[in-house]
Amino acid sequence: MPSDDSPAPGAAPLSPNDVRPAATGLEPRTTAPVVLDAVDHRLLAELAADARIPNNALAQRAGIAPSTCLARVRALRDKGVIRGFHADIDPALSGRPLQAIIAVRMQGSARSRLTSFLRELGALPGVLNVFLLGGAHDFFVHVAAPDADGLNDFVVENLSVNPGVALTETNLIFQHVRAPVF
């Protein structure tokens, strides 16, 4: 039986931009670091800048043959270095112009539920990112809301009513710049 990465018989070979299930960040991590060379880093930088770049253009920028490029990108995906390809959606233009980082501290009795709560938070509408932390707070939750009332509703309905949540602190985001990954 072909794997998810195998093209159907007679189909065109996969490109670096073929869709895979979205990574959640909760997948198991390998314990050994992956050794990357200069070509791998160049591929990652180009894909981070434009995940839709065609394989032949990516190969040209990395200075390698298209078949080599395809194999290297596939290997980086298989090793978990590339977790997925994503659209960078503007929250404001998609109806959620108000962004915030909500710091969450859990009750001591809820510490055994950190991983499950992380998953629950990540599944909520309007959540862009969730970070499990070490330090004074247990989570940072990056959210986008349609307005101040929507943000308030999110905090009240999803965090404040949860008996495991000890404290929330909402910080508004005025501007955001996406930093290059590499």
Side-chain angles (χ1 to χ4, degrees):
M1 173 174 244
S3 71
D4 290 343
D5 289 334
S6 301
L14 294 175
S15 76
N17 298 328
D18 288 332
V19 177
R20 281 190 152 192
T24 64
L26 299 172
E27 295 79 16
R29 293 185 182 206
T30 59
T31 55
V34 176
V35 178
L36 304 175
D37 63 15
V39 173
D40 291 328
H41 283 287
R42 180 70 181 173
L43 292 171
L44 293 172
E46 293 294 336
L47 288 169
D50 179 8
R52 293 177 48 113
I53 185 171
N55 184 62
N56 59 346
L58 180 60
Q60 183 178 26
R61 290 184 187 176
I64 57 177
S67 59
T68 302
C69 181
L70 187 61
R72 279 183 171 253
V73 170
R74 191 174 285 156
L76 290 167
R77 289 172 64 195
D78 291 344
K79 293 175 184 173
V81 176
I82 297 174
R83 296 188 299 190
F85 299 93
H86 311 279
D88 185 10
I89 298 168
D90 186 319
L93 295 177
S94 62
R96 294 178 172 270
L98 184 62
Q99 291 186 60
I101 300 288
I102 305 168
V104 179
R105 186 176 308 142
M106 302 298 287
Q107 298 283 355
S109 59
R111 299 254 178 247
S112 64
R113 292 196 58 244
L114 292 180
T115 301
S116 63
F117 192 57
L118 175 75
R119 286 188 176 103
E120 291 169 23
L121 289 171
L124 293 173
V127 173
L128 303 176
N129 296 287
V130 182
F131 304 94
L132 176 60
L133 309 171
H137 300 289
D138 295 303
F139 298 100
F140 281 163
V141 185
H142 179 194
V143 299
D147 52 33
D149 289 336
L151 179 59
N152 182 66
D153 291 345
F154 177 88
V155 173
V156 170
E157 294 170 10
N158 298 296
L159 301 173
S160 298
V161 298
N162 187 317
V165 173
L167 170 110
T168 64
E169 182 179 300
T170 303
N171 300 279
L172 297 180
I173 298 172
F174 294 122
Q175 292 183 4
H176 170 261
V177 174
R178 183 174 181 258
V181 176
F182 289 89

